[in-house]
Amino acid sequence: MAVIYDRIALVGLGLIASSMYWAIKRGGLAGEVTGYARSAETRDIAREIGLCDRVCDDIGEAVRDADLVVLCIPVGVMGATMEQIAGSLKPGATVTDVGSVKRDVIEQVTPHVPPGVHFIAGHPLAGTEHSGPRSGFAELFDNRWCLLVPPEGADAGALAQLRSLWMGMGANVEEMDADHHDLVLAVTSHAPHLIAYTMVGVADDLRRVTDSEVIKYSAAGFRDFTRIAASDPTMWRDVFLTNKDATLEILGRFTEELFALQRAIRQGDGEHLFDYFTRTRSIRRGIIEAGQDTDAPDFGRATRK
Ligand code: NAP
């Protein structure tokens, strides 16, 4: 594959940045990739495992002369970081981000974008419950979606180049409006995470009653919730603080549905429960057919002996 950017700077070196680096290398998509993380510990690990062609101790040095800067840090610090790097950016450079919320990030970042620099917000819909520089892998974005949220009147060349990079990293790319993005993600990711956190929290309370049976006999439903609930606390705190309205809207609807199911259980309304579960089962089939998850039983977990 051809080089798409001569120089790319990754700011933040966690799961998403490290996956991007390995995917960029796999595709030969950049001449040089520089990297920066706030802690010396992360920078040392990056050097040790060969993450980035050059790891910089100074954020300004990392982004200087970069044709593309990718902000791979928690949503809550995007604006302050953009302010910090603004003076070091090359004219004509593109800045993008990978944050899980878009309206708030765009509002934080845009005031600090210098004239002649293009800011195009982005969000790869791919991740795991692991974090940090060692957690990334080149295949993370393969056949996943990356949503780009360009500002009105965005530079067509800059947008096409960013789109090519994501496609080169294996993703399918689509453009979306920021508010629509935040609502869609509240349904597909943010509210489900909150529900998983709640369920695991409830079980943790019960554990004291049942003397650790919750862990010992952990069955598929609960075990799957715990995987989601193991996700990075900083990232998810920021997601809920910055996607407040859409998450509260979806949680309101969720509560109404939950009450309806509660009533059906109380009244012994098996027909309601059966119809509801039949409908939800077909949604799962749709996800498999769209190639967004495995059809293997129990997510392909190896059978324990
Ligand atoms: P991660 O593995 O936890 O890495 C986060 C990086 O941000 C680390 O390098 C960390 O630096 C740095 N960082 C943390 N707090 C910071 C602060 N206050 N100021 C400056 N840098 C800070 O996170 P990630 O999963 O890659 O997530 C990065 C972004 O991608 C987030 O905006 C998240 O919403 C988005 N995202 C995540 C997923 C997912 O499933 N994980 C999926 C799609 C998008 P140190 O290592 O030095 O602490």
Side-chain angles (χ1 to χ4, degrees):
M1 220 172 274
V3 167
I4 293 168
Y5 291 98
D6 287 335
R7 187 171 292 177
I8 296 178
L10 301 174
V11 174
L13 293 173
L15 169 70
I16 300 296
S18 55
S19 298
M20 286 185 77
Y21 178 73
W22 301 122
I24 288 168
K25 283 288 128 177
R26 179 185 68 177
L29 308 174
E32 189 193 31
V33 180
T34 56
Y36 169 82
R38 63 174 174 169
S39 73
E41 191 192 345
T42 297
R43 298 194 299 267
D44 286 347
I45 295 171
R47 289 186 183 107
E48 181 198 322
I49 64 174
L51 172 61
C52 292
D53 301 320
R54 191 156 52 87
V55 176
C56 304
D57 291 324
D58 178 73
I59 193 170
E61 190 193 329
V63 304
R64 197 162 297 126
D65 293 328
D67 303 289
L68 176 72
V69 175
V70 191
L71 303 177
C72 307
I73 49 180
V75 163
V77 292
M78 294 282 186
T81 305
M82 182 68 205
E83 188 175 13
Q84 209 184 345
I85 62 171
S88 308
L89 295 171
K90 165 167 134 175
T94 297
V95 176
T96 188
D97 76 298
V98 296
S100 306
V101 175
K102 294 279 58 91
R103 168 64 58 203
D104 188 89
V105 167
I106 291 169
E107 284 172 2
Q108 285 183 55
V109 169
T110 305
H112 305 296
V113 179
V117 168
H118 312 289
F119 174 60
I120 301 169
H123 179 202
L125 306 189
T128 74
E129 67 279 25
H130 298 294
S131 44
R134 295 186 197 274
S135 59
F137 52 98
E139 299 77 22
L140 181 66
F141 309 112
D142 286 349
N143 202 29
R144 294 282 166 261
W145 287 100
C146 179
L147 302 177
L148 295 181
V149 184
E152 225 172 285
D155 183 276
L159 182 57
Q161 211 175 353
L162 184 59
R163 183 182 261 276
S164 302
L165 179 75
W166 278 108
M167 287 168 63
M169 289 190 289
N172 305 311
V173 181
E174 203 134 279
E175 285 170 37
M176 205 178 262
D177 153 76
D179 292 329
H180 190 64
H181 167 279
D182 289 355
L183 186 65
V184 169
L185 266 291
V187 180
T188 58
S189 172
H190 305 168
H193 272 81
L194 200 73
I195 293 160
Y197 280 123
T198 314
M199 196 57 228
V200 176
V202 168
D204 187 48
D205 286 345
L206 275 177
R207 190 161 58 119
R208 285 170 212 126
V209 181
T210 59
D211 196 17
S212 90
E213 283 176 327
V214 170
I215 301 292
K216 189 170 165 190
Y217 300 122
S218 182
F222 178 68
R223 201 174 51 196
D224 296 337
F225 273 132
T226 61
R227 186 190 67 74
I228 298 177
S231 301
D232 186 65
T234 305
M235 168 181 160
W236 285 98
R237 177 201 62 197
D238 285 7
V239 165
F240 293 117
L241 292 179
T242 55
N243 197 19
K244 211 181 203 167
D245 294 345
T247 312
L248 291 178
E249 161 72 19
I250 299 305
L251 284 175
R253 292 185 190 212
F254 172 80
T255 313
E256 285 171 20
E257 299 271 320
L258 193 63
F259 279 145
L261 289 175
Q262 211 175 343
R263 194 175 53 237
I265 293 170
R266 184 177 300 114
Q267 294 176 341
D269 186 351
E271 201 180 329
H272 179 93
L273 296 172
F274 186 84
D275 289 349
Y276 201 92
F277 301 155
T278 303
R279 197 153 58 85
T280 54
R281 184 178 223 190
S282 71
I283 291 175
R284 172 74 190 162
R285 283 207 198 99
I287 292 172
I288 310 281
E289 276 159 27
Q292 297 300 305
D293 205 354
T294 171
D295 193 21
D298 201 15
F299 304 107
R301 284 184 183 105
T303 313
R304 289 196 192 88
K305 297 226 168 91

